[in-house]
Amino acid sequence: MRTGLRRLVPLFGLVLVAACGLQSGGAVPLPVGPGSIRPVPELDGVAITVGSKDFSEQNILGYLIEFAMVAAGADVRDLTNIQGSNSLRDAQLHGQIDIAYDYTGTGWINYLGNETPVPDEVGQFEAVREADLAAHGMVWTAMAPMNNTYALVTSRRTAQETGVATLSDYAKLIETDPAAAATCVGTEFNVRQDGYPGMARKYGIDTGKVRKQIVQDALVYQATADAGQCRFGSVAATDGRIPALDLVLLRDDRAFFPKYNAALVMRSDFAEANPQVATIMASISARLTNETITELNRQVDVDGREPAEVARDWMVAEGFVTAG
């Protein structure tokens, strides 16, 4: 277990978010100075609380916001590493978090209750932006190219042996040789309609033939790379363990999986009072490609580095900030 810079927000503090509220957060873990992001007079001393969910990518994204806002002169509080999407969302709706990165698919399906995703990335972003503003007064802006969608992977060896490159190929393999398509899936992916059940319907997979094991998400990657009990596995597409273990993403050739592009989310009152925030963050979001965020995730999940250090080093390398 990594210790040090990373904090764990207790679950019980989030369950009672409406009644008790979260604590005000901690200090930004590492110092930064201005780079291409210069001090903004309108943000000087403005209190901004930044949140994130409790996994590596989200912690990195949260720290990117924090370092940008510090360089701009804001008084930033760190409330990253909140357990679960719903807890982060509740904290934002109740005003305990001002800004966070979230995912367009999560907004459309989990927060707004839609069942059918919009297939186009920009279309999905625009749909959730309009609907969430109208329903909850939440502003979505500065969408990044990175798309942390669900996916299936296999080892390079299995891909070569079976010739499976797409989800249609995978479905055919289940039909002809179920044992050769043994699959490990995470607990949520196993039951979510944007996970295995929906994918099986879309690709005509006979679930009665599937040799499937339900395991913890973190165990899927190595188990699939070993190609023993799992020859295929469910993953998040931008996870750093995919390239580290030489796993191969299967192409979603029928465009089933929703788009999960990261975008900045703020309450409308905060966004209207501080329009400079979206302008600053747009240039950062624009550089967050799948390749970029996957590499940053790899440094945390494979190399064991702290998310705050990884985020600050990238911000410095890109010229956005300087190391304090």
Side-chain angles (χ1 to χ4, degrees):
M1 179 182 294
R2 282 185 288 271
T3 58
L5 296 177
R6 196 180 296 186
R7 293 177 300 101
L8 178 63
V9 176
L11 176 60
F12 64 82
L14 297 175
V15 172
L16 301 178
V17 65
C20 304
L22 298 174
Q23 295 182 353
S24 60
V28 177
L30 295 171
V32 297
S36 62
I37 299 174
R38 307 303 301 171
V40 178
E42 294 86 350
L43 293 178
D44 184 28
V46 172
I48 299 177
T49 301
V50 179
S52 81
K53 305 174 195 180
D54 60 340
F55 55 93
S56 299
E57 179 171 290
Q58 273 282 298
N59 278 292
I60 291 168
L61 293 174
Y63 289 130
L64 295 181
I65 301 171
E66 292 184 9
F67 295 139
M69 294 300 101
V70 168
D75 178 15
V76 180
R77 304 299 290 172
D78 172 21
L79 204 52
T80 53
N81 211 43
I82 294 172
Q83 189 172 28
S85 295
N86 290 337
S87 295
L88 175 68
R89 174 71 167 188
D90 286 345
Q92 282 204 282
L93 290 174
H94 288 87
Q96 292 144 325
I97 287 171
D98 298 310
I99 184 171
Y101 271 108
D102 214 325
Y103 303 101
T104 54
T106 302
W108 186 246
I109 295 172
N110 292 32
Y111 303 156
L112 293 168
N114 296 288
E115 295 183 359
T116 303
V118 178
D120 173 66
E121 288 186 356
V122 174
Q124 181 68 92
F125 168 73
E126 291 175 344
V128 74
R129 179 183 61 186
E130 294 173 9
D132 209 15
L133 180 61
H136 304 111
M138 300 297 285
V139 173
W140 291 69
T141 187
M143 186 186 82
M146 58 170 283
N147 176 19
N148 187 13
T149 188
Y150 277 130
L152 286 192
V153 294
T154 189
S155 69
R156 193 165 300 279
R157 182 180 68 189
T158 300
Q160 292 169 348
E161 289 176 354
T162 62
V164 171
T166 68
L167 290 179
S168 290
D169 295 336
Y170 167 76
K172 291 176 183 176
L173 185 63
I174 290 174
E175 185 65 29
T176 59
D177 189 359
T183 305
C184 281
V185 298
T187 52
E188 279 201 32
F189 184 82
N190 184 57
V191 297
R192 285 174 58 137
Q193 291 310 303
D194 56 346
Y196 207 96
M199 184 193 74
R201 286 194 300 273
K202 182 73 171 183
Y203 283 90
I205 294 172
D206 183 352
T207 55
K209 293 185 176 182
V210 178
R211 304 288 182 88
K212 185 170 59 173
Q213 295 190 51
I214 303 168
V215 301
Q216 294 180 4
D217 290 317
L219 301 180
V220 172
Y221 298 85
Q222 189 63 60
T224 306
D226 293 341
Q229 61 174 335
C230 310
R231 306 198 79 197
F232 299 87
S234 64
V235 299
T238 57
D239 196 287
R241 288 165 288 194
I242 295 172
L245 294 170
D246 198 26
L247 297 172
V248 178
L249 287 164
L250 302 189
R251 183 165 56 87
D252 182 11
D253 52 310
R254 294 189 183 179
F256 163 72
F257 289 118
K259 308 303 182 185
Y260 284 88
N261 293 84
L264 206 66
V265 184
M266 303 173 278
R267 297 183 316 281
S268 58
D269 59 343
F270 176 85
E272 291 166 5
N274 305 285
Q276 303 83 7
V277 171
T279 301
I280 293 168
M281 293 305 302
S283 59
I284 295 172
S285 290
R287 300 192 196 181
L288 293 174
T289 63
N290 270 22
E291 293 75 18
T292 294
I293 197 64
T294 299
E295 169 57 20
L296 299 183
N297 290 337
R298 186 198 64 77
Q299 291 180 35
V300 175
D301 291 326
V302 178
D303 295 347
R305 300 187 65 206
E306 288 290 344
E309 294 172 348
V310 170
R312 186 180 70 165
D313 285 356
W314 183 79
M315 292 281 281
V316 170
E318 294 293 315
F320 291 119
V321 303
T322 53

